[in-house]
Amino acid sequence: MDINLISFETSGPRCSVALLRASAGAIRSIATRSHDGGRDHGQQILPLASSLLREEGLTAANLHGVAFGQGPGGFTGLRVACGVAQGVAYTLNVPVLPVVSNLAVAAASGAAPGQLVITALDARMEEVYLAVYRAPGQAGAAWQELLAPQLVAGRDALPWVESLLPGWQLDDADPVPPLWAGDGWLLAGEDARFQPTLLALRPDADVVARLGLEALWRGEGKPAQEAMPLYVRDKVAFTTAERAKGDGGNPRATVPIYAQAMTAGHLESVVDLEAQVQKHPWTRRNFEDALAAGYDAWVLCEGEAVVGFYIAMLAPDVSHLLAVAVAPERQRQGWGWRLLEHFAQRAAEAGLEGLLLEVRPSNAGALALYRRFGFEQIGVRKEYYEAGAQREDAWVFQKRLPAAAPGSVA
């Protein structure tokens, strides 16, 4: 079947339109038109689209889908691309295919299968739109989003990503170095990892068209009425009254990740989080008893919100991890790794020789994380865990520690 797809990208200073033609499951051609100048996207976008259709000998009635750059990006520009895509799709009764701006940059980076791409787009005002992806392992498969787009101060982007990077790395002995793509990395200062060709990348309609086609083939098209821009910066201007109260600037992602000793005031959040991630969760009484017993109990916070925790029992030679959890919406973003780092550092500073934990054999995600962190299986505890009618074994893992490291971990 022949497929004709048009795409619009207006998230930045360039207005670009692409017309993609595919047949027999492969792209046959992509034609593009663009105009530089962020103030007149609304006047340029339809004439560009009309010229492309005319030169290809097509009309709007020949289109099978409409892709558009969803954002994040400039507020007005995002509305232009979304509004035009929605109008065309609604009139023709064809699906819309929203494509995230950071994903378009990742897809243009030339990443190898499975390679990490860390994208940062200049959001102005010394801020960037930051997102992290893993390239698909095979043609046509979807990119994996590891960190959804969010607004971050340019100076904070690199150290924050570096703190989370170990949790995203694959289990390979020699993982492929990540790519750093997008003009936002120009705000992070000079770094040998930043390739000039990748720093020049911005979202463009041809890549949006390619990603849109792949989504169409996977059956991920949406009805026209569901087309929505992705606004990461929710508010640009503040009123005089708001500024008088000390408000100002722009809402940003909460960059600081910090550990705090668990107290009774955290129990409600901890119990709720535990119930979200465990089939057989600890009760509130279990956590109260752990605090009363003086176990090493810590919460991981994003701002004031508890997004993770662990409880460990310090024995004469090892620290035994009794419970650990990360909020579902924060999983696969490096937070579990940070908890393990904190757990290990606490044990090292206490002069202990190693770490000990039990894990269900069915918990593939936890097993992969522990092994990547350096844990090795040393035994099995038979029928250790509740699992409905039959109990489940526990695999016992241990990690030896180097000499105690100096410095605070809180």
Side-chain angles (χ1 to χ4, degrees):
M1 174 184 174
D2 292 344
I3 292 178
N4 302 314
L5 185 147
I6 198 164
S7 67
F8 306 104
E9 217 303 311
T10 58
S11 64
R14 170 170 291 189
C15 172
S16 60
V17 182
L19 180 61
L20 180 152
R21 306 187 72 174
S23 60
I27 296 175
R28 199 170 77 206
S29 66
I30 299 180
T32 63
R33 293 289 183 275
S34 64
H35 173 79
D36 291 325
R39 296 182 180 274
D40 56 356
H41 290 347
Q43 288 74 40
Q44 297 293 332
I45 191 169
L46 287 177
L48 291 174
S50 296
S51 68
L52 278 176
L53 288 168
R54 186 169 54 252
E55 291 176 13
E56 292 291 318
L58 301 175
T59 68
N62 300 122
L63 297 175
H64 301 93
V66 185
F68 70 99
Q70 185 183 24
F75 181 81
T76 302
L78 295 185
R79 288 189 299 171
V80 169
C82 180
V84 171
Q86 188 173 48
V88 172
Y90 184 81
T91 301
L92 301 177
N93 193 28
V94 297
V96 291
L97 302 145
V99 174
V100 175
S101 301
N102 293 73
L103 177 57
V105 166
S109 68
Q115 188 171 17
L116 283 178
V117 185
I118 306 167
T119 64
L121 301 179
D122 191 346
R124 300 188 177 182
M125 294 179 276
E126 298 183 348
E127 296 169 323
V128 300
Y129 297 120
L130 181 69
V132 181
Y133 301 92
R134 190 182 304 284
Q138 58 186 11
W143 285 71
Q144 182 184 5
E145 181 184 84
L146 300 179
L147 182 69
Q150 49 200 285
L151 188 67
V152 179
R155 64 179 181 275
D156 294 333
L158 182 57
W160 189 35
V161 168
E162 287 178 326
S163 72
L164 297 174
L165 190 56
W168 292 322
Q169 295 284 11
L170 291 172
D171 216 1
D172 302 338
D174 185 21
V176 178
L179 295 178
W180 304 74
D183 60 354
W185 291 120
L186 293 170
L187 301 178
E190 295 184 7
D191 192 293
R193 293 169 292 184
F194 300 160
Q195 302 176 30
T197 54
L198 297 183
L199 295 182
L201 289 179
R202 288 287 307 183
D204 213 345
D206 61 342
V207 181
V208 171
R210 293 174 187 272
L211 291 170
L213 178 65
E214 293 174 1
L216 186 66
W217 279 338
R218 292 194 299 267
E220 298 173 0
K222 299 179 180 294
Q225 62 269 24
E226 294 185 15
M228 292 288 290
L230 176 60
Y231 295 129
V232 175
R233 173 180 281 141
D234 297 321
K235 189 169 186 178
V236 175
F238 282 75
T239 66
T240 302
E242 288 170 327
R243 291 190 184 280
K245 292 189 300 180
D247 295 333
N250 295 282
R252 288 182 178 156
T254 305
V255 174
I257 302 171
Y258 63 94
Q260 182 178 358
M262 187 186 299
T263 68
H266 295 121
L267 286 181
E268 183 175 351
S269 297
V270 168
V271 171
D272 179 64
L273 195 161
E274 169 83 351
Q276 293 180 54
V277 301
Q278 301 291 353
K279 292 182 179 179
H280 302 280
W282 278 27
T283 66
R284 184 185 182 93
R285 181 59 182 270
N286 292 145
F287 287 106
E288 290 174 343
D289 289 346
L291 290 181
Y295 290 164
D296 204 34
W298 292 80
V299 290
L300 193 63
C301 297
E302 181 184 21
E304 296 183 358
V306 174
V307 295
F309 71 85
Y310 76 85
I311 295 178
M313 179 175 64
L314 303 182
D317 55 350
V318 299
S319 181
H320 187 174
L321 188 65
L322 303 177
V324 60
V326 175
E329 69 274 11
R330 292 293 184 270
Q331 292 178 4
R332 298 190 64 81
Q333 297 178 13
W335 297 72
W337 187 276
R338 289 297 297 270
L339 282 172
L340 290 180
E341 283 185 330
H342 192 276
F343 167 54
Q345 185 72 10
R346 290 281 299 175
E349 291 188 343
L352 303 181
E353 298 176 0
L355 311 174
L356 188 73
L357 60 84
E358 293 88 15
V359 60
R360 293 176 184 265
S362 59
N363 194 343
L367 286 171
L369 175 63
Y370 296 147
R371 284 172 172 147
R372 195 161 69 248
F373 196 77
F375 280 93
E376 296 179 349
Q377 185 177 354
I378 60 170
V380 177
R381 300 192 196 280
K382 291 292 186 180
E383 300 182 349
Y384 185 81
Y385 290 113
E386 294 183 38
Q390 294 183 337
R391 298 182 68 84
E392 184 175 3
D393 292 347
W395 286 358
V396 184
F397 278 70
Q398 184 181 55
K399 175 182 170 70
R400 304 298 297 178
L401 290 177
S408 171
V409 298

